[in-house]
PDB file of all heavy atoms in Angstrom:
ATOM      1  N   ASN Z  87      29.167 -43.937-109.881  1.00 89.00           N
ATOM      2  CA  ASN Z  87      28.773 -42.583-109.509  1.00 89.00           C
ATOM      3  C   ASN Z  87      29.198 -41.579-110.583  1.00 89.00           C
ATOM      4  O   ASN Z  87      28.443 -40.662-110.932  1.00 89.00           O
ATOM      5  CB  ASN Z  87      29.396 -42.210-108.165  1.00 89.00           C
ATOM      6  CG  ASN Z  87      28.885 -40.871-107.648  1.00 89.00           C
ATOM      7  OD1 ASN Z  87      27.684 -40.612-107.674  1.00 89.00           O
ATOM      8  ND2 ASN Z  87      29.781 -40.022-107.188  1.00 89.00           N
ATOM      9  N   GLN Z  88      30.395 -41.763-111.135  1.00 91.00           N
ATOM     10  CA  GLN Z  88      30.853 -40.878-112.205  1.00 91.00           C
ATOM     11  C   GLN Z  88      29.987 -41.022-113.449  1.00 91.00           C
ATOM     12  O   GLN Z  88      29.680 -40.037-114.129  1.00 91.00           O
ATOM     13  CB  GLN Z  88      32.319 -41.172-112.536  1.00 91.00           C
ATOM     14  CG  GLN Z  88      33.297 -40.682-111.469  1.00 91.00           C
ATOM     15  CD  GLN Z  88      34.716 -41.135-111.737  1.00 91.00           C
ATOM     16  OE1 GLN Z  88      34.954 -42.046-112.529  1.00 91.00           O
ATOM     17  NE2 GLN Z  88      35.671 -40.507-111.059  1.00 91.00           N
ATOM     18  N   LEU Z  89      29.580 -42.249-113.754  1.00 90.00           N
ATOM     19  CA  LEU Z  89      28.704 -42.458-114.904  1.00 90.00           C
ATOM     20  C   LEU Z  89      27.370 -41.732-114.709  1.00 90.00           C
ATOM     21  O   LEU Z  89      26.861 -41.091-115.634  1.00 90.00           O
ATOM     22  CB  LEU Z  89      28.445 -43.950-115.116  1.00 90.00           C
ATOM     23  CG  LEU Z  89      29.629 -44.810-115.571  1.00 90.00           C
ATOM     24  CD1 LEU Z  89      29.201 -46.262-115.702  1.00 90.00           C
ATOM     25  CD2 LEU Z  89      30.193 -44.312-116.895  1.00 90.00           C
ATOM     26  N   ARG Z  90      26.813 -41.832-113.516  1.00 89.00           N
ATOM     27  CA  ARG Z  90      25.534 -41.177-113.247  1.00 89.00           C
ATOM     28  C   ARG Z  90      25.665 -39.655-113.328  1.00 89.00           C
ATOM     29  O   ARG Z  90      24.790 -38.977-113.878  1.00 89.00           O
ATOM     30  CB  ARG Z  90      25.004 -41.593-111.873  1.00 89.00           C
ATOM     31  CG  ARG Z  90      24.555 -43.051-111.799  1.00 89.00           C
ATOM     32  CD  ARG Z  90      23.792 -43.341-110.521  1.00 89.00           C
ATOM     33  NE  ARG Z  90      23.274 -44.709-110.531  1.00 89.00           N
ATOM     34  CZ  ARG Z  90      23.876 -45.745-109.984  1.00 89.00           C
ATOM     35  NH1 ARG Z  90      25.050 -45.588-109.366  1.00 89.00           N
ATOM     36  NH2 ARG Z  90      23.337 -46.954-110.045  1.00 89.00           N
ATOM     37  N   ILE Z  91      26.739 -39.130-112.775  1.00 92.00           N
ATOM     38  CA  ILE Z  91      26.946 -37.678-112.820  1.00 92.00           C
ATOM     39  C   ILE Z  91      27.153 -37.206-114.258  1.00 92.00           C
ATOM     40  O   ILE Z  91      26.576 -36.197-114.681  1.00 92.00           O
ATOM     41  CB  ILE Z  91      28.153 -37.280-111.937  1.00 92.00           C
ATOM     42  CG1 ILE Z  91      27.786 -37.448-110.463  1.00 92.00           C
ATOM     43  CG2 ILE Z  91      28.592 -35.835-112.214  1.00 92.00           C
ATOM     44  CD1 ILE Z  91      28.930 -37.216-109.501  1.00 92.00           C
ATOM     45  N   PHE Z  92      27.939 -37.962-115.035  1.00 92.00           N
ATOM     46  CA  PHE Z  92      28.163 -37.563-116.419  1.00 92.00           C
ATOM     47  C   PHE Z  92      26.858 -37.600-117.211  1.00 92.00           C
ATOM     48  O   PHE Z  92      26.583 -36.698-118.010  1.00 92.00           O
ATOM     49  CB  PHE Z  92      29.202 -38.470-117.069  1.00 92.00           C
ATOM     50  CG  PHE Z  92      29.475 -38.116-118.507  1.00 92.00           C
ATOM     51  CD1 PHE Z  92      30.031 -36.885-118.834  1.00 92.00           C
ATOM     52  CD2 PHE Z  92      29.165 -39.001-119.535  1.00 92.00           C
ATOM     53  CE1 PHE Z  92      30.270 -36.543-120.165  1.00 92.00           C
ATOM     54  CE2 PHE Z  92      29.398 -38.671-120.860  1.00 92.00           C
ATOM     55  CZ  PHE Z  92      29.962 -37.426-121.171  1.00 92.00           C
ATOM     56  N   LEU Z  93      26.027 -38.612-117.001  1.00 90.00           N
ATOM     57  CA  LEU Z  93      24.744 -38.692-117.693  1.00 90.00           C
ATOM     58  C   LEU Z  93      23.852 -37.499-117.351  1.00 90.00           C
ATOM     59  O   LEU Z  93      23.143 -36.972-118.221  1.00 90.00           O
ATOM     60  CB  LEU Z  93      24.024 -39.987-117.334  1.00 90.00           C
ATOM     61  CG  LEU Z  93      24.382 -41.228-118.156  1.00 90.00           C
ATOM     62  CD1 LEU Z  93      23.583 -42.420-117.684  1.00 90.00           C
ATOM     63  CD2 LEU Z  93      24.123 -40.979-119.640  1.00 90.00           C
ATOM     64  N   LYS Z  94      23.871 -37.078-116.114  1.00 90.00           N
ATOM     65  CA  LYS Z  94      23.053 -35.935-115.722  1.00 90.00           C
ATOM     66  C   LYS Z  94      23.574 -34.654-116.365  1.00 90.00           C
ATOM     67  O   LYS Z  94      22.781 -33.794-116.781  1.00 90.00           O
ATOM     68  CB  LYS Z  94      23.041 -35.805-114.193  1.00 90.00           C
ATOM     69  CG  LYS Z  94      22.076 -34.748-113.673  1.00 90.00           C
ATOM     70  CD  LYS Z  94      20.645 -35.007-114.098  1.00 90.00           C
ATOM     71  CE  LYS Z  94      20.075 -36.259-113.468  1.00 90.00           C
ATOM     72  NZ  LYS Z  94      18.643 -36.436-113.812  1.00 90.00           N
ATOM     73  N   ILE Z  95      24.885 -34.528-116.486  1.00 92.00           N
ATOM     74  CA  ILE Z  95      25.466 -33.362-117.168  1.00 92.00           C
ATOM     75  C   ILE Z  95      25.052 -33.353-118.637  1.00 92.00           C
ATOM     76  O   ILE Z  95      24.695 -32.312-119.200  1.00 92.00           O
ATOM     77  CB  ILE Z  95      27.005 -33.369-117.033  1.00 92.00           C
ATOM     78  CG1 ILE Z  95      27.410 -33.126-115.576  1.00 92.00           C
ATOM     79  CG2 ILE Z  95      27.640 -32.305-117.944  1.00 92.00           C
ATOM     80  CD1 ILE Z  95      28.885 -33.335-115.305  1.00 92.00           C
ATOM     81  N   VAL Z  96      25.081 -34.527-119.261  1.00 91.00           N
ATOM     82  CA  VAL Z  96      24.665 -34.634-120.670  1.00 91.00           C
ATOM     83  C   VAL Z  96      23.187 -34.266-120.810  1.00 91.00           C
ATOM     84  O   VAL Z  96      22.800 -33.540-121.731  1.00 91.00           O
ATOM     85  CB  VAL Z  96      24.910 -36.062-121.192  1.00 91.00           C
ATOM     86  CG1 VAL Z  96      24.297 -36.239-122.579  1.00 91.00           C
ATOM     87  CG2 VAL Z  96      26.408 -36.351-121.241  1.00 91.00           C
ATOM     88  N   GLU Z  97      22.363 -34.743-119.893  1.00 87.00           N
ATOM     89  CA  GLU Z  97      20.925 -34.470-119.950  1.00 87.00           C
ATOM     90  C   GLU Z  97      20.635 -32.984-119.795  1.00 87.00           C
ATOM     91  O   GLU Z  97      19.814 -32.415-120.533  1.00 87.00           O
ATOM     92  CB  GLU Z  97      20.219 -35.254-118.842  1.00 87.00           C
ATOM     93  CG  GLU Z  97      18.729 -34.981-118.742  1.00 87.00           C
ATOM     94  CD  GLU Z  97      18.111 -35.590-117.496  1.00 87.00           C
ATOM     95  OE1 GLU Z  97      18.682 -36.555-116.948  1.00 87.00           O
ATOM     96  OE2 GLU Z  97      17.054 -35.091-117.061  1.00 87.00           O
ATOM     97  N   LYS Z  98      21.322 -32.335-118.849  1.00 88.00           N
ATOM     98  CA  LYS Z  98      21.035 -30.934-118.534  1.00 88.00           C
ATOM     99  C   LYS Z  98      21.880 -29.947-119.336  1.00 88.00           C
ATOM    100  O   LYS Z  98      21.578 -28.750-119.349  1.00 88.00           O
ATOM    101  CB  LYS Z  98      21.263 -30.680-117.036  1.00 88.00           C
ATOM    102  CG  LYS Z  98      20.331 -31.466-116.126  1.00 88.00           C
ATOM    103  CD  LYS Z  98      18.882 -31.096-116.374  1.00 88.00           C
ATOM    104  CE  LYS Z  98      17.931 -31.873-115.497  1.00 88.00           C
ATOM    105  NZ  LYS Z  98      16.519 -31.524-115.755  1.00 88.00           N
ATOM    106  N   GLN Z  99      22.926 -30.462-119.994  1.00 90.00           N
ATOM    107  CA  GLN Z  99      23.830 -29.594-120.761  1.00 90.00           C
ATOM    108  C   GLN Z  99      24.389 -28.464-119.890  1.00 90.00           C
ATOM    109  O   GLN Z  99      24.659 -27.363-120.361  1.00 90.00           O
ATOM    110  CB  GLN Z  99      23.095 -28.992-121.966  1.00 90.00           C
ATOM    111  CG  GLN Z  99      22.570 -30.009-122.957  1.00 90.00           C
ATOM    112  CD  GLN Z  99      23.662 -30.627-123.821  1.00 90.00           C
ATOM    113  OE1 GLN Z  99      24.370 -29.919-124.516  1.00 90.00           O
ATOM    114  NE2 GLN Z  99      23.792 -31.933-123.752  1.00 90.00           N
TER     115      GLN Z  99
END
Side-chain angles (χ1 to χ4, degrees):
N87 187 46
Q88 287 173 344
L89 292 179
R90 291 191 175 95
I91 289 174
F92 180 64
L93 274 180
K94 187 58 67 176
I95 292 171
V96 172
E97 176 190 337
K98 296 299 179 181
Q99 299 285 302

